[in-house]
Amino acid sequence: MSVRGWLRAGLAFLGAAQFAVGCWALLSPRTFFDIPWVGMRMPYNAHLMMDYGAMSLATSVALGVGAVTMRQALIRTGLAVYLVFALPHLVIHIRLLHHLTPGERAPLLAALTAAAVIPLVLLMLTGRARRDRPGPDHVSPVRS
């Protein structure tokens, strides 16, 4: 697969994951909260869960626009939006590990680390895609 293909696939994966999580948290906040990684044995807050769902849906739009247009500025913006959430989210959960059992900690940390590493790798690919694929279907620079 080309760099451009990996970039599009990564954006589509992140966007689809954000869309699925967003719909779940927005439409069924209690079942989403009941996941041990989410609720972490803390009090339930429906408003917070629905807000999180709406934010995840908004993030999916930014990632999806990048995947469809393959315009470098839109790709980088979508990935930056996602990272502004994913990196602090990882740090927050690292600080709250005491709420989880040892068996719940490892998969959570693996998932949240992947959620931060994937967009970082994709950001690096934006420069390579532009260099590797000159011509009409390369990752487009910002147009004035």
Side-chain angles (χ1 to χ4, degrees):
M1 186 182 301
S2 69
V3 171
R4 179 180 164 82
W6 281 109
L7 187 55
R8 187 185 300 269
L11 288 163
F13 169 77
L14 291 174
Q18 285 296 103
F19 182 81
V21 165
C23 286
W24 185 3
L26 187 60
L27 300 174
S28 187
R30 183 72 217 197
T31 64
F32 185 76
F33 183 83
D34 286 342
I35 300 169
W37 294 352
V38 176
M40 300 180 75
R41 296 165 186 80
M42 295 179 192
Y44 174 66
N45 184 322
H47 172 225
L48 180 61
M49 288 298 93
M50 290 184 283
D51 281 354
Y52 171 77
M55 182 274 310
S56 294
L57 288 175
T59 303
S60 77
V61 171
L63 293 165
V65 168
V68 169
T69 66
M70 292 303 289
R71 300 251 339 234
Q72 188 177 56
L74 296 174
I75 292 168
R76 288 181 173 175
T77 300
L79 291 170
V81 166
Y82 183 82
L83 280 167
V84 166
F85 167 74
L87 291 171
H89 189 216
L90 172 60
V91 172
I92 290 163
H93 276 277
I94 289 170
R95 294 179 63 204
L96 296 174
L97 286 177
H98 62 279
H99 288 281
L100 299 172
T101 67
E104 294 166 338
R105 291 176 188 163
L108 172 65
L109 290 177
L112 294 181
T113 300
V117 170
I118 291 170
L120 288 171
V121 170
L122 293 175
L123 272 174
M124 290 187 285
L125 289 180
T126 62
R128 285 191 58 198
R130 188 170 180 196
R131 288 190 307 272
D132 291 350
R133 298 285 297 206
D137 65 4
H138 74 285
V139 174
S140 303
V142 176
R143 294 185 185 158
S144 334

